[in-house]
Amino acid sequence: MNRQDFWSEVVRVNGSVTPQVAVRVLIFCLIGMFVHAVVVWTDVQTGLAVAPYEIVGVVLALILVTRTNAGYDRWYEARKLWGGIVNQTRNLATIGAVYGPQDRQWQDEFSRWTAAFAHACRHSLRGETDFQDMEKLLGKSQTALLAAAPHAPMYVAGRLAQLLARAVRDGQLDRFAFMQAEHERASLIDHIGACERILKTPLAKVFSIKIRRFLFVYLVALPIAIVDKTGVMTPIIVLVVAYPLLSLDQIGIELQNPFALDRLSHLPLDEISANIERNVFESQRYLLNSEPTSRVE
Amino acid sequence: MNRQDFWSEVVRVNGSVTPQVAVRVLIFCLIGMFVHAVVVWTDVQTGLAVAPYEIVGVVLALILVTRTNAGYDRWYEARKLWGGIVNQTRNLATIGAVYGPQDRQWQDEFSRWTAAFAHACRHSLRGETDFQDMEKLLGKSQTALLAAAPHAPMYVAGRLAQLLARAVRDGQLDRFAFMQAEHERASLIDHIGACERILKTPLAKVFSIKIRRFLFVYLVALPIAIVDKTGVMTPIIVLVVAYPLLSLDQIGIELQNPFALDRLSHLPLDEISANIERNVFESQRYLLNSEPTSRVE
Amino acid sequence: MNRQDFWSEVVRVNGSVTPQVAVRVLIFCLIGMFVHAVVVWTDVQTGLAVAPYEIVGVVLALILVTRTNAGYDRWYEARKLWGGIVNQTRNLATIGAVYGPQDRQWQDEFSRWTAAFAHACRHSLRGETDFQDMEKLLGKSQTALLAAAPHAPMYVAGRLAQLLARAVRDGQLDRFAFMQAEHERASLIDHIGACERILKTPLAKVFSIKIRRFLFVYLVALPIAIVDKTGVMTPIIVLVVAYPLLSLDQIGIELQNPFALDRLSHLPLDEISANIERNVFESQRYLLNSEPTSRVE
Amino acid sequence: MNRQDFWSEVVRVNGSVTPQVAVRVLIFCLIGMFVHAVVVWTDVQTGLAVAPYEIVGVVLALILVTRTNAGYDRWYEARKLWGGIVNQTRNLATIGAVYGPQDRQWQDEFSRWTAAFAHACRHSLRGETDFQDMEKLLGKSQTALLAAAPHAPMYVAGRLAQLLARAVRDGQLDRFAFMQAEHERASLIDHIGACERILKTPLAKVFSIKIRRFLFVYLVALPIAIVDKTGVMTPIIVLVVAYPLLSLDQIGIELQNPFALDRLSHLPLDEISANIERNVFESQRYLLNSEPTSRVE
Amino acid sequence: MNRQDFWSEVVRVNGSVTPQVAVRVLIFCLIGMFVHAVVVWTDVQTGLAVAPYEIVGVVLALILVTRTNAGYDRWYEARKLWGGIVNQTRNLATIGAVYGPQDRQWQDEFSRWTAAFAHACRHSLRGETDFQDMEKLLGKSQTALLAAAPHAPMYVAGRLAQLLARAVRDGQLDRFAFMQAEHERASLIDHIGACERILKTPLAKVFSIKIRRFLFVYLVALPIAIVDKTGVMTPIIVLVVAYPLLSLDQIGIELQNPFALDRLSHLPLDEISANIERNVFESQRYLLNSEPTSRVE
């Protein structure tokens, strides 16, 4: 983010879509060469008017940018949802620690399942079936049960609900604090549901097909429109035009699934869920241990 | 979503609006031919200035893209609302299973009606009167009652309210858990109400008429403006310009009703409601059966 | 919404703003003729550079589209608010019927006043003082009281509050159900308040004056800029440019007040409030009558 | 909003930013004249290429429109917040009147302080220290206390909280109705807080400086770019281009503070707060007086 | 914000990104000179067609403006979140003062920790480890504990929860008022969580790399495209084009982290948290001291 970054970002390959669009760009350049060859050979006058063609170019630019924005919005919405998972987990942890039963075993279980939610979401969104990394958190048998659940995040949320219900039934959790906890717990289900919506709903097919067809028509018509004036340079110009347009198209697709590890700029879910785990344990432990100070009591 | 997709999306017909706009595009090409013929025959000089005409083109491009975006937003809002139906149903199912009465019959009925909500919405939004597919879920007589209800989703929500009221009256459902359940139940009514709003409110008529009239004026004026320079190529250029513009217009309309089966890119409501049913039954059953583990008690 | 629609929308007059902008368009054409006449007569060279002038055109296009969008957003927000009135009324009706007192008179009054809310909003937003159509619903004396109220929707909401208060005082309405009902009732006041905001707040004056002054300057400068090249065709071109621009400006204004009956594309408030009335009565009656089935009890 | 409006808005001075930008526009015209004089005198060939320069023009147009939109959004957000103050005040008034203690003095005080909130916000947002207009509402001594408070709206909200606390303590206000009232009261603080945010946060400085510097560079470069073709007309064209661009810039600034009386298109806070006062008193009085009708009891 | 501001903003350096992009702009000018030199020396004809190149320019302009907007939105979202911290803190303070226990020590502690939240957020977001400025507020030992906490804002929120829990346990805080307080407290955690999301999530890498690569390609291709017509003026024109484009790019980055002190236009967190502290203490003290007036009791 400093001055040097500008030049390093210009040249870096890692994290760029260039490798993925290189073949397509070359194919359109070849088409440009072919058009030039035909024109030279047949001495045809293409004479495609440029002005109305530009309107099509503006439309194409607008919908390509729109699509990239739609991809980016989706990516950012996913980030916000995971931010929500962080917030709701923190709140649940505090409510459990401060208002919950002063029973060690309940506390222990509640914080484990709270911390488990983010991990379960991560595995579920990535379609991973290996939950081994959670054994340290939940123990072997619980992890096996979780891994076999039809819907892992719902299972964790259900477990949390059972713990809350038990605490209320035993008269150890005030019903008003229960209500706030239940509200946070229900929000967790809303967040994972929204992540699943993003995962399962690509851009409307009818829209994405059309964008690519416009791109194709535009990039094929381009050399025909300009070959009269540009001659042997035609493929170079096609390259300069095709590269950004095809890249934008590809970026829109990369951003569409922000959870998959093989996508560029996917969200750092491993890091976020590790952070949540740390928050739940360290912060609560510190709060409870540091309580009895001279000023408070 | 991989590299090959680009080329397959370019050529695919299934899911594209091309068949629906083909006739319109051809008509404008014929107008282009006619203009060219008249010009050749009468040797008239049209001399339409191109520059101010371009401003109209930019306005047209902007409002066409705006309209497509409005259609897309509506489509995505509908998807979000169904995501909300998924979330609220899941929450209701968990609340019922964990906090609800431990009475088998109540549990059974509550989960059936919870799962029925999405099916009722689907039928209602598509104007379908055949509810036969729900008989497995609700039984014959209940399904008949539902099918005869003036508003199926409201009927299901009312049934859920009756079940909750009974549980509270019998002292089997804590009032604080009832409040959360009631909140989720009321949200379901908000979601279906919003879906109905999308269904019944097309783009403001005054706006959509104007867009199509601009399109018409623009595409008729186009050959007159360019025929001097483009000669016999005029209809081809009209085709290249008219095809994307008319397609965008049509896409805006296709996306406007995301529930109807005959629209391109309609939402997969069958799949979503089947998923909800599975969530409600499988997940809750698994949660309840796997409870008594060594660590929890 | 099918293929034929395209052509019928192109030619229809009903629902279009064309009649309202026709005079203005003609005036600008006359200015175009006048400019041409002066140029012919005096042989002046106008020589207005076109390129920088185009930037102004782009700015004009952008803010015109922005304004139309602002008008459309306002129109759609109003529609959403009425969707909210539908949802909250439905919820109130269900809560009243299922959780409310089993006292016939209370039930009857509560559903009448619930159904009355939308009607009261409609009359209030349109500035109508004749409430006669509500006599069938509320009876003569109540309707007279309502019509004389300083703010009809607030009066109805107040009445609903009194009914809820009575039911709670008599121990017939559980306080938790009361809370949900009160929440829905308060939302109704939010919805009508937001509708009144839309009604009373046109686009910031400073913005709308400027848009129209730009339009004027642009359309007067247009013939001066192009007359050298376009000669006798000048007024025709002015017409082609002025018609869409002035139409967009007028559409922005038409959409600004979505409640008034004399606006194009005003919302179908009569239909919506009739629907609400039907929902409240039919659906609740059906739900209550169909309850005692073999499976439920 | 009718046909005549178009022409009257075109020519009106009151409410327009023209007087505020006139000097700036003239300065740029003078620069245009100067450029022309230098060119005539030195016979230099400026030959600034127009095409790339247009891209800069497009960028400038886009960010100017973006800025105007940001100003407008802020203005409309402020309007929405005041709409929220209207809604929440109405709700508080109804809750107080219907669910509150039937004690005349409490009722009187509660409605006075409810009505006082909007007035306090208005004075506070405008930095006014003279609260004399509120003496009719609150009496002399209370008004003096309010005027001396460090934060007038917080003081009113605190007073309302004290009244609610007293009513609950005395067992005259049901705790569930208290909760709804408290929710509305807390929202009032959110609304005034958001208004203060709008008041205190102009557009990011880095952004607004850049916009004006671009404008300056663009308008100075303009005559150099076009003088070859436009000759003596140069300052006129600069005028036609500079006037809309500088006006848009100024509109963005005018809309940024929607509360100050000296800004064009400031919100009618006097009118809104007077309305609220009327709502609180008239509507509630009417509701309470018209209650005992034959049908209700 | 008055007339003079226009000229002062045009020339001011403080708060502008000009110093940060100056080197980059010069490098592109040098490339322009080099291109011109090569052309003069080799007498090559570059003949890059301008029209299709303009489409790339439009795409570049659109995504640059999009990116600047994304940066601005993020900046404004951060401002809104801090506005939320202000609102929620004020509400907590009022609830504590009016509904809380009438015990001096509890009141004192509660307001201190309430005021401490914003300070803790500020330190945490800026990565500062020196909390010395909070010693006046919290005392030495408490400040040391806070500074050592794994997550300072969570620690403060936990402290507030403990205070609320104690007050409820002692029967000094009504449970319904507790619920509202708990709601505000949980919102504080949501606000700081969202600020951390903004801090940790820059624009998707794949997007920002692409924007800078487009910029680079565009600005290198620019002199090649225009050198034929512009000759020796080429570097000047490159400068006029490169300066605004590179500035916009840099502004997008500056706005991305609105918390860091070394960013231009960072938010005035010191001022906001000092304001909150004043609000909490002065306003509440004034409210409590001014209570027993003739009218209220």
Side-chain angles (χ1 to χ4, degrees):
Chain A
M1 300 217 182
N2 46 30
R3 216 170 300 162
Q4 292 89 304
D5 266 346
F6 182 79
W7 304 105
S8 74
E9 288 203 341
V10 164
V11 296
R12 83 193 266 174
V13 174
N14 183 10
S16 155
V17 295
T18 306
Q20 308 194 25
V21 298
V23 175
R24 286 176 220 161
V25 172
L26 283 178
I27 290 173
F28 285 108
C29 289
L30 289 176
I31 294 174
M33 280 183 194
F34 175 77
V35 167
H36 179 236
V38 168
V39 165
V40 167
W41 202 52
T42 62
D43 215 31
V44 146
Q45 254 291 87
T46 56
L48 210 65
V50 165
Y53 186 67
E54 268 187 10
I55 290 305
V56 177
V58 168
V59 169
L60 184 59
L62 283 170
I63 62 177
L64 255 182
V65 171
T66 295
R67 186 239 188 87
T68 314
N69 286 350
Y72 174 69
D73 284 350
R74 181 178 289 243
W75 180 85
Y76 200 59
E77 193 195 350
R79 184 62 191 82
K80 277 191 177 168
L81 290 167
W82 272 82
I85 292 177
V86 171
N87 295 344
Q88 265 57 72
T89 314
R90 282 176 178 176
N91 276 335
L92 264 185
T94 303
I95 292 172
V98 179
Y99 306 129
Q102 294 316 314
D103 153 12
R104 274 219 155 259
Q105 204 212 331
W106 189 95
Q107 287 288 347
D108 183 61
E109 273 199 67
F110 191 76
S111 39
R112 281 177 199 278
W113 285 108
T114 302
F117 188 78
H119 290 296
C121 290
R122 174 169 51 90
H123 287 310
S124 172
L125 288 171
R126 289 190 176 153
E128 295 165 348
T129 50
D130 182 0
F131 283 62
Q132 224 173 318
D133 60 312
M134 296 182 66
E135 290 190 355
K136 230 181 63 192
L137 183 64
L138 292 180
K140 242 193 163 104
S141 70
Q142 292 289 339
T143 306
L145 274 172
L146 176 61
H151 190 276
M154 271 187 82
Y155 182 75
V156 177
R159 276 277 184 248
L160 288 170
Q162 289 178 327
L163 284 165
L164 292 173
R166 185 139 58 90
V168 169
R169 227 180 297 123
D170 297 356
Q172 306 249 35
L173 177 62
D174 191 277
R175 278 176 164 78
F176 286 83
F178 163 75
M179 240 184 72
Q180 186 73 28
E182 181 61 17
H183 178 75
E184 308 284 349
R185 195 192 62 75
S187 296
L188 286 176
I189 288 292
D190 291 356
H191 296 330
I192 181 66
C195 286
E196 288 170 1
R197 163 172 55 75
I198 290 176
L199 184 69
K200 287 188 192 154
T201 317
L203 197 69
K205 211 80 195 156
V206 72
F207 201 33
S208 83
I209 292 175
K210 196 50 58 185
I211 291 174
R212 298 193 137 178
R213 201 166 296 173
F214 286 179
L215 259 177
F216 178 79
V217 170
Y218 184 84
L219 291 176
V220 165
L222 182 63
I224 307 177
I226 60 173
V227 72
D228 277 3
K229 291 191 192 155
T230 54
V232 77
M233 298 283 284
T234 308
I236 307 279
I237 295 168
V238 169
L239 183 142
V240 169
V241 175
Y243 173 50
L245 297 184
L246 290 168
S247 296
L248 267 188
D249 173 64
Q250 188 61 30
I251 286 174
I253 281 179
E254 292 296 322
L255 292 173
Q256 222 166 67
N257 179 353
F259 308 115
L261 282 167
D262 61 340
R263 289 304 158 107
L264 298 173
S265 295
H266 62 266
L267 296 174
L269 300 191
D270 295 271
E271 204 186 305
I272 297 176
S273 33
N275 256 338
I276 287 177
E277 197 176 323
R278 218 169 320 119
N279 272 172
V280 168
F281 289 107
E282 286 185 28
S283 288
Q284 297 317 318
R285 215 163 290 163
Y286 187 81
L287 174 67
L288 295 180
N289 293 343
S290 70
E291 189 178 14
T293 63
S294 56
R295 270 187 74 183
V296 177
E297 311 229 287
Chain B
M1 300 219 182
N2 46 32
R3 214 170 303 162
Q4 293 90 304
D5 267 348
F6 182 79
W7 304 105
S8 73
E9 288 203 341
V10 164
V11 295
R12 82 193 267 176
V13 174
N14 184 9
S16 154
V17 294
T18 307
Q20 307 194 26
V21 298
V23 174
R24 287 175 219 160
V25 172
L26 282 178
I27 290 172
F28 284 108
C29 289
L30 290 176
I31 294 174
M33 280 185 195
F34 175 76
V35 167
H36 179 236
V38 168
V39 166
V40 167
W41 203 52
T42 62
D43 215 30
V44 147
Q45 255 289 85
T46 56
L48 209 66
V50 166
Y53 185 66
E54 269 187 11
I55 290 305
V56 176
V58 168
V59 169
L60 184 58
L62 283 170
I63 62 177
L64 255 181
V65 171
T66 295
R67 186 239 187 87
T68 314
N69 286 350
Y72 173 70
D73 285 350
R74 181 178 289 242
W75 180 85
Y76 201 59
E77 192 196 350
R79 183 64 190 82
K80 276 190 177 169
L81 289 167
W82 272 82
I85 291 177
V86 171
N87 295 345
Q88 265 58 70
T89 314
R90 282 176 179 176
N91 276 336
L92 265 185
T94 304
I95 291 172
V98 179
Y99 306 128
Q102 295 315 315
D103 154 11
R104 275 219 154 260
Q105 205 212 331
W106 188 95
Q107 287 289 347
D108 183 61
E109 273 199 69
F110 191 75
S111 40
R112 281 177 199 278
W113 285 109
T114 303
F117 188 78
H119 291 296
C121 290
R122 174 170 51 89
H123 287 309
S124 171
L125 288 170
R126 290 191 175 152
E128 294 165 350
T129 50
D130 182 0
F131 283 62
Q132 225 173 317
D133 60 312
M134 297 182 66
E135 291 190 354
K136 231 181 63 193
L137 183 64
L138 291 180
K140 238 187 166 106
S141 69
Q142 293 288 339
T143 306
L145 274 171
L146 175 61
H151 190 276
M154 271 187 82
Y155 182 77
V156 177
R159 277 276 184 248
L160 289 169
Q162 289 178 328
L163 284 165
L164 291 173
R166 184 139 57 91
V168 169
R169 227 180 298 123
D170 298 356
Q172 306 250 35
L173 177 63
D174 191 277
R175 278 177 164 78
F176 287 84
F178 162 75
M179 240 183 73
Q180 186 74 27
E182 181 61 18
H183 178 74
E184 307 284 349
R185 195 192 62 75
S187 297
L188 286 176
I189 288 292
D190 291 355
H191 296 330
I192 181 66
C195 285
E196 288 170 0
R197 164 172 55 74
I198 290 175
L199 184 70
K200 287 187 193 154
T201 318
L203 197 68
K205 211 80 196 155
V206 71
F207 201 34
S208 83
I209 292 175
K210 195 51 57 185
I211 291 174
R212 298 194 136 177
R213 201 167 295 175
F214 287 179
L215 259 176
F216 178 79
V217 170
Y218 184 84
L219 291 176
V220 166
L222 182 62
I224 307 177
I226 60 174
V227 71
D228 277 3
K229 292 192 193 156
T230 53
V232 77
M233 298 284 283
T234 308
I236 307 279
I237 294 168
V238 169
L239 184 142
V240 169
V241 175
Y243 173 51
L245 297 185
L246 290 169
S247 296
L248 266 188
D249 172 66
Q250 188 61 29
I251 286 174
I253 281 180
E254 293 296 322
L255 291 174
Q256 223 167 64
N257 178 353
F259 308 115
L261 282 166
D262 61 340
R263 290 302 159 108
L264 298 173
S265 294
H266 61 265
L267 296 173
L269 301 192
D270 295 271
E271 206 185 305
I272 297 176
S273 32
N275 257 337
I276 286 177
E277 196 176 325
R278 217 168 322 119
N279 272 171
V280 168
F281 289 106
E282 286 184 31
S283 288
Q284 296 317 319
R285 216 162 289 162
Y286 187 83
L287 175 68
L288 295 179
N289 294 342
S290 71
E291 188 177 14
T293 64
S294 56
R295 271 188 74 183
V296 177
E297 311 231 284
Chain C
M1 300 217 182
N2 46 32
R3 214 170 301 162
Q4 292 88 305
D5 267 347
F6 181 79
W7 304 106
S8 73
E9 288 203 342
V10 164
V11 295
R12 82 194 266 174
V13 173
N14 184 9
S16 155
V17 293
T18 307
Q20 308 194 26
V21 298
V23 174
R24 287 175 219 161
V25 171
L26 283 178
I27 290 173
F28 285 109
C29 289
L30 290 176
I31 294 174
M33 280 184 195
F34 175 78
V35 167
H36 179 236
V38 168
V39 166
V40 167
W41 203 51
T42 62
D43 216 30
V44 147
Q45 254 289 87
T46 57
L48 209 67
V50 165
Y53 186 66
E54 268 186 12
I55 290 304
V56 177
V58 168
V59 169
L60 184 59
L62 284 171
I63 61 176
L64 255 181
V65 171
T66 295
R67 186 239 187 89
T68 314
N69 286 350
Y72 173 70
D73 284 350
R74 181 177 289 242
W75 180 85
Y76 201 59
E77 192 196 350
R79 183 63 191 83
K80 276 190 176 168
L81 289 167
W82 272 83
I85 292 177
V86 172
N87 295 344
Q88 265 59 69
T89 315
R90 282 177 178 174
N91 276 336
L92 264 185
T94 303
I95 291 172
V98 178
Y99 305 129
Q102 294 317 314
D103 154 11
R104 274 217 154 260
Q105 205 212 330
W106 189 95
Q107 287 288 347
D108 183 61
E109 274 198 69
F110 191 75
S111 39
R112 282 177 198 277
W113 286 108
T114 303
F117 189 78
H119 290 295
C121 290
R122 174 169 51 89
H123 286 309
S124 171
L125 288 171
R126 290 191 175 152
E128 294 166 350
T129 50
D130 182 0
F131 283 61
Q132 223 172 321
D133 59 312
M134 297 183 67
E135 290 190 355
K136 229 181 65 194
L137 184 64
L138 291 180
K140 237 183 169 110
S141 70
Q142 293 288 338
T143 305
L145 274 171
L146 176 61
H151 190 277
M154 271 186 82
Y155 182 77
V156 177
R159 276 277 183 248
L160 289 169
Q162 289 178 328
L163 284 166
L164 292 173
R166 186 140 56 91
V168 169
R169 228 181 297 123
D170 298 357
Q172 305 251 35
L173 177 64
D174 192 277
R175 278 177 165 77
F176 287 84
F178 162 76
M179 241 183 72
Q180 186 73 29
E182 182 60 20
H183 178 74
E184 308 285 348
R185 194 191 63 76
S187 297
L188 285 177
I189 288 292
D190 291 356
H191 296 330
I192 182 65
C195 286
E196 288 170 1
R197 164 172 55 73
I198 291 175
L199 183 69
K200 287 188 193 153
T201 318
L203 197 68
K205 211 80 195 157
V206 72
F207 201 33
S208 82
I209 292 176
K210 197 48 60 185
I211 291 174
R212 298 194 137 178
R213 201 167 295 175
F214 286 0
L215 259 176
F216 177 79
V217 170
Y218 184 83
L219 291 177
V220 165
L222 182 62
I224 307 178
I226 61 174
V227 71
D228 277 3
K229 291 193 194 155
T230 54
V232 76
M233 298 284 284
T234 308
I236 306 279
I237 295 168
V238 169
L239 183 141
V240 169
V241 174
Y243 173 50
L245 298 184
L246 290 169
S247 296
L248 266 188
D249 172 66
Q250 187 60 29
I251 286 174
I253 281 179
E254 293 296 322
L255 292 174
Q256 223 167 63
N257 178 352
F259 308 115
L261 282 167
D262 61 340
R263 290 302 160 108
L264 299 174
S265 294
H266 62 266
L267 295 174
L269 300 192
D270 295 271
E271 204 185 308
I272 298 177
S273 33
N275 256 337
I276 286 177
E277 195 176 324
R278 217 169 321 120
N279 272 173
V280 169
F281 289 106
E282 285 184 28
S283 290
Q284 296 317 320
R285 216 162 288 163
Y286 186 83
L287 174 67
L288 295 180
N289 293 343
S290 70
E291 187 178 16
T293 63
S294 55
R295 272 185 75 182
V296 177
E297 312 228 287
Chain D
M1 301 219 182
N2 46 31
R3 215 170 301 162
Q4 291 89 303
D5 267 347
F6 181 79
W7 304 106
S8 73
E9 288 202 342
V10 164
V11 296
R12 82 194 265 175
V13 174
N14 183 9
S16 154
V17 294
T18 306
Q20 308 194 26
V21 298
V23 174
R24 286 175 219 160
V25 172
L26 283 178
I27 290 173
F28 285 108
C29 289
L30 290 176
I31 294 175
M33 280 183 194
F34 175 77
V35 167
H36 179 236
V38 168
V39 166
V40 167
W41 203 50
T42 61
D43 215 29
V44 147
Q45 252 291 86
T46 56
L48 208 68
V50 166
Y53 186 67
E54 269 187 11
I55 291 304
V56 177
V58 168
V59 169
L60 184 59
L62 283 171
I63 62 175
L64 255 182
V65 171
T66 295
R67 185 241 189 87
T68 314
N69 286 349
Y72 174 70
D73 284 350
R74 181 177 289 242
W75 180 85
Y76 201 60
E77 193 195 349
R79 183 63 190 82
K80 277 190 177 169
L81 289 168
W82 271 82
I85 292 178
V86 172
N87 296 344
Q88 265 57 72
T89 315
R90 282 177 179 175
N91 276 336
L92 264 185
T94 304
I95 292 172
V98 179
Y99 306 130
Q102 294 316 314
D103 152 12
R104 275 219 154 258
Q105 205 212 330
W106 189 95
Q107 287 289 347
D108 183 61
E109 275 198 67
F110 190 75
S111 39
R112 281 177 199 277
W113 285 108
T114 303
F117 188 77
H119 290 295
C121 290
R122 174 168 52 89
H123 287 310
S124 171
L125 288 170
R126 290 190 175 152
E128 294 164 350
T129 49
D130 181 0
F131 284 61
Q132 222 173 319
D133 60 312
M134 296 183 66
E135 290 189 357
K136 230 181 64 193
L137 184 65
L138 291 180
K140 238 187 167 105
S141 70
Q142 292 288 340
T143 304
L145 274 171
L146 176 61
H151 190 278
M154 271 186 83
Y155 182 75
V156 177
R159 277 275 183 247
L160 288 170
Q162 289 177 327
L163 284 165
L164 292 172
R166 185 141 55 91
V168 169
R169 228 182 296 123
D170 298 356
Q172 306 251 35
L173 177 63
D174 192 275
R175 278 176 165 77
F176 286 84
F178 162 75
M179 240 183 71
Q180 186 73 29
E182 182 60 19
H183 177 74
E184 307 284 349
R185 194 191 63 76
S187 297
L188 286 177
I189 288 293
D190 291 357
H191 295 330
I192 182 66
C195 286
E196 288 169 1
R197 165 173 54 75
I198 290 175
L199 184 69
K200 288 187 194 153
T201 318
L203 197 68
K205 210 81 195 156
V206 73
F207 202 33
S208 82
I209 292 175
K210 197 48 59 186
I211 290 174
R212 297 192 137 179
R213 201 167 295 175
F214 285 0
L215 259 177
F216 178 79
V217 170
Y218 185 83
L219 291 177
V220 165
L222 183 63
I224 306 178
I226 61 174
V227 71
D228 277 3
K229 291 193 194 156
T230 53
V232 76
M233 298 284 285
T234 308
I236 306 280
I237 294 167
V238 170
L239 183 142
V240 168
V241 174
Y243 173 51
L245 298 184
L246 290 169
S247 296
L248 266 189
D249 173 65
Q250 188 61 30
I251 286 174
I253 281 180
E254 293 295 323
L255 292 174
Q256 224 167 63
N257 179 352
F259 307 115
L261 282 167
D262 60 340
R263 290 303 159 109
L264 298 173
S265 295
H266 61 267
L267 295 174
L269 300 192
D270 295 271
E271 203 186 308
I272 297 176
S273 33
N275 256 338
I276 286 177
E277 196 177 322
R278 215 168 324 119
N279 272 172
V280 168
F281 289 106
E282 286 184 28
S283 289
Q284 295 317 320
R285 215 161 290 162
Y286 186 81
L287 175 67
L288 295 179
N289 293 342
S290 71
E291 188 177 16
T293 63
S294 55
R295 271 185 75 183
V296 178
E297 312 229 285
Chain E
M1 300 218 183
N2 45 32
R3 215 170 300 162
Q4 292 88 301
D5 266 347
F6 182 80
W7 303 105
S8 74
E9 288 203 342
V10 164
V11 296
R12 81 193 264 175
V13 173
N14 183 9
S16 155
V17 294
T18 306
Q20 309 194 25
V21 298
V23 174
R24 287 176 219 159
V25 172
L26 282 178
I27 290 175
F28 284 109
C29 290
L30 290 175
I31 294 175
M33 280 182 193
F34 175 77
V35 168
H36 179 235
V38 168
V39 166
V40 167
W41 203 52
T42 62
D43 216 29
V44 146
Q45 254 290 86
T46 55
L48 209 66
V50 165
Y53 186 65
E54 269 188 10
I55 291 305
V56 176
V58 169
V59 168
L60 184 59
L62 283 171
I63 62 177
L64 255 182
V65 171
T66 295
R67 185 239 189 88
T68 313
N69 286 349
Y72 174 69
D73 285 350
R74 182 178 289 244
W75 180 85
Y76 201 59
E77 192 195 349
R79 184 61 190 82
K80 277 190 177 169
L81 289 167
W82 272 83
I85 292 178
V86 172
N87 295 344
Q88 265 57 72
T89 314
R90 282 176 178 175
N91 276 335
L92 264 185
T94 304
I95 292 172
V98 180
Y99 306 129
Q102 294 316 315
D103 153 12
R104 274 218 156 260
Q105 205 213 331
W106 189 95
Q107 286 289 346
D108 183 63
E109 274 199 67
F110 190 75
S111 39
R112 280 176 199 279
W113 285 109
T114 303
F117 188 78
H119 291 295
C121 290
R122 173 169 52 89
H123 287 310
S124 171
L125 288 171
R126 290 190 175 153
E128 294 165 349
T129 50
D130 181 0
F131 284 61
Q132 224 172 317
D133 59 312
M134 296 183 66
E135 290 189 357
K136 230 181 64 192
L137 184 64
L138 291 179
K140 241 192 165 102
S141 70
Q142 292 288 339
T143 304
L145 274 172
L146 176 61
H151 190 276
M154 271 187 83
Y155 182 75
V156 177
R159 276 277 184 247
L160 288 170
Q162 288 178 328
L163 284 166
L164 292 173
R166 186 141 55 92
V168 168
R169 229 182 296 123
D170 298 356
Q172 305 249 36
L173 177 63
D174 193 276
R175 279 177 165 77
F176 286 83
F178 163 74
M179 240 183 72
Q180 186 73 28
E182 182 59 19
H183 178 74
E184 308 284 348
R185 195 192 62 75
S187 297
L188 285 177
I189 288 292
D190 291 356
H191 296 329
I192 181 66
C195 285
E196 288 170 1
R197 164 173 54 75
I198 290 176
L199 184 69
K200 288 187 192 154
T201 317
L203 198 68
K205 210 80 195 156
V206 73
F207 202 33
S208 82
I209 292 175
K210 197 48 60 186
I211 290 174
R212 298 192 138 180
R213 201 167 295 174
F214 286 179
L215 259 177
F216 178 78
V217 171
Y218 184 84
L219 291 177
V220 165
L222 182 62
I224 306 178
I226 61 174
V227 72
D228 277 4
K229 290 192 194 155
T230 53
V232 77
M233 298 284 284
T234 308
I236 307 280
I237 294 169
V238 169
L239 182 142
V240 169
V241 175
Y243 173 51
L245 297 183
L246 290 169
S247 296
L248 267 189
D249 173 66
Q250 188 61 30
I251 286 174
I253 281 180
E254 293 295 324
L255 292 174
Q256 222 166 65
N257 179 353
F259 308 115
L261 282 167
D262 60 339
R263 289 304 159 107
L264 298 173
S265 295
H266 61 266
L267 295 175
L269 301 192
D270 295 270
E271 203 187 307
I272 297 177
S273 32
N275 256 338
I276 286 177
E277 197 177 322
R278 216 169 323 120
N279 273 172
V280 168
F281 289 107
E282 286 185 28
S283 288
Q284 296 318 318
R285 216 161 289 161
Y286 187 82
L287 175 67
L288 295 179
N289 293 343
S290 71
E291 189 178 14
T293 63
S294 56
R295 270 187 75 182
V296 178
E297 312 229 285

